[in-house]
Structures are given as structure tokens and as C-alpha cells.
Amino acid sequence: MKTRIVGLALLLLLGCSTALHADPIAITSGQFSITNSLTGAGPMMLSSDRFNIGMFVLSSASPSGFCFTCIPGQNIDFSLRAGDFGGGAGAIDGVSYTGLEIGGHLDFQTTAITLPSVIPVGTVFDYDLPFHLSGLFVAIRRDREIMNVPVIGQGRLALSLRGIIPDQNGMSTFVARDRSVFTFGSTPTPTPEPTTLLMMTAGVALTARRFRTRERDL
């Protein structure tokens, strides 16, 4: 009787797990370039074992710790969220597409840095910062959703800041120089899918119960 109850409970648990999200897709390579302004638009390429898509980011949002005209000695975080995409094209699950509508959101989390306390005018400071990506990638064509998956990734952010002529208060500041580039590198290993974890747990539990029952019979 107890075995039946345990079995029914596990079946119900597995049934409910279908509503949980699948494993995130690991981005293995690609770039996201931001031109002129650290919050401006730029091209993006995302590649994984399931898709290879090129798109254009129309705008991006940054957290409160971000600065464009940065003050000497300021602690800043260049993390941002990309969520306003233009059209895209590429291959998804081995099928080529054009005229894709790209949606979702992509969060780039970087390491915070502290700027130098002295900024000579014209001096350029180059940074190479690690970043982690997490978000949701959605691709639609002709009102048909082709892909809707969580994504993860990691890589390096390369950016340059330069000192500019002091303002009317005599304060020297930094501005972004040229472009900033997020380049994907090695990716984190996706965590096991919830359904897979539940099935593994169920198998271990049933095996352990069977051994206990056998020991009592002996």
C-alpha cells in the first residue's frame, strides 16, 4: 500500500514538472557591440548548439550604478539589459530564416570597477571585464513563435574611457571612447532540467525503498 502511495505521489510530481522551464541554452560564441554611447544601439550575434542568429539592438537599459560621463574615483557597474531588438536572421534548429522578429530580454552582468582618481585630459583607460549573460530569447516569424528559450553565457567586455576637457566647474570627467564590445567565450554548464532532476530523485527513492524491503524480508 505504501509503495503505491509513493508511486502515485511521484507520478503527480512528475506531471506537475511539465510546467517548469527546460534547461537554458548556452551561448557558445558571438558579440554585442555598442557604438558611441554605452547605452546606445549596436549589432548582436548569438551562437549556440541550437541557433545562430544576427540581430540589431535598438536600445538598452542600464542600472543605477552606470554612468556615461563618469567622475574620477567613481565606482561604476557597466551591466545592462538589452530588450529592444530590431529584425533578425539566421538558423534555428538547422532551418534558415529571414525576417525574424526578436523578443525577450538579455541581461549582461559585469564586475564593478573604481575609476582612477586623476584623469589627465586625453588619457585613455582600457578595461577588460568579465560578464555573465542570462535572459530569454524569443524568435517569431509571420506571427508564429519559432523559439522561446532561456539563455545563459559568459565572456569579456572590452571598453575604453578617455579624459575630456574639464567642465565649467573645473571637473575632469570620463566619456566612452569608440565602442564597447561584449564577446562570448566559454559558457557555464546548464543546470539539469527540473524534470530530469525529479526523475533521478524518484529512481533513487524507489531503489532505496526496494533495498529496505528486501532487507526486512531476509
Side-chain angles (χ1 to χ4, degrees), residues 95-164:
V95 180
S96 296
Y97 295 94
T98 58
L100 290 171
E101 297 177 33
I102 307 299
H105 60 86
L106 301 173
D107 294 311
F108 293 83
Q109 300 294 325
T110 68
T111 301
I113 62 173
T114 300
L115 298 177
S117 57
V118 178
I119 310 173
V121 173
T123 301
V124 176
F125 295 88
D126 295 315
Y127 293 93
D128 176 38
L129 307 175
F131 75 83
H132 287 269
L133 168 75
S134 62
L136 182 68
F137 179 77
V138 180
I140 300 172
R141 187 170 186 271
R142 297 176 181 174
D143 297 326
R144 181 173 69 89
E145 187 176 272
I146 299 171
M147 177 167 282
N148 185 332
V149 295
V151 293
I152 55 173
Q154 64 186 32
R156 310 292 298 188
L157 163 62
L159 63 91
S160 295
L161 299 176
R162 64 179 174 85
I164 61 174

Side-chain angles (χ1 to χ4, degrees), residues 13-206:
L13 196 58
L14 289 172
C16 293
S17 70
T18 56
L20 300 175
H21 291 296
D23 291 350
I25 301 297
I27 304 301
T28 55
S29 63
Q31 283 190 342
F32 172 31
S33 299
I34 306 175
T35 58
N36 299 325
S37 166
L38 289 172
T39 58
M44 180 185 291
M45 173 66 72
L46 298 179
S47 297
S48 72
D49 60 352
R50 289 194 57 191
F51 61 83
N52 189 335
I53 297 293
M55 67 198 85
F56 199 86
V57 181
L58 300 177
S59 64
S60 56
S62 303
S64 58
F66 180 91
C67 69
F68 173 56
T69 301
C70 308
I71 301 171
Q74 182 177 356
N75 187 266
I76 54 176
D77 185 345
F78 290 108
S79 300
L80 58 83
R81 164 172 283 199
D84 185 7
F85 304 101
I92 300 177
D93 292 329
V95 180
S96 296
Y97 295 94
T98 58
L100 290 171
E101 297 177 33
I102 307 299
H105 60 86
L106 301 173
D107 294 311
F108 293 83
Q109 300 294 325
T110 68
T111 301
I113 62 173
T114 300
L115 298 177
S117 57
V118 178
I119 310 173
V121 173
T123 301
V124 176
F125 295 88
D126 295 315
Y127 293 93
D128 176 38
L129 307 175
F131 75 83
H132 287 269
L133 168 75
S134 62
L136 182 68
F137 179 77
V138 180
I140 300 172
R141 187 170 186 271
R142 297 176 181 174
D143 297 326
R144 181 173 69 89
E145 187 176 272
I146 299 171
M147 177 167 282
N148 185 332
V149 295
V151 293
I152 55 173
Q154 64 186 32
R156 310 292 298 188
L157 163 62
L159 63 91
S160 295
L161 299 176
R162 64 179 174 85
I164 61 174
I165 298 174
D167 61 18
Q168 59 184 356
N169 298 317
M171 176 68 76
S172 293
T173 55
F174 282 114
V175 294
R177 177 177 177 269
D178 300 327
R179 64 175 185 162
S180 305
V181 182
F182 292 84
T183 302
F184 292 92
S186 58
T187 57
T189 302
T191 54
E193 189 174 332
T195 303
T196 303
L197 285 175
L198 288 171
M199 291 180 67
M200 290 173 61
T201 303
V204 171
L206 288 175

Side-chain angles (χ1 to χ4, degrees), residues 1-17 198 202 206:
M1 182 64 180
K2 290 183 178 179
T3 303
R4 290 182 179 178
I5 293 174
V6 172
L8 287 173
L10 290 171
L11 285 174
L12 287 173
L13 196 58
L14 289 172
C16 293
S17 70
L198 288 171
L206 288 175

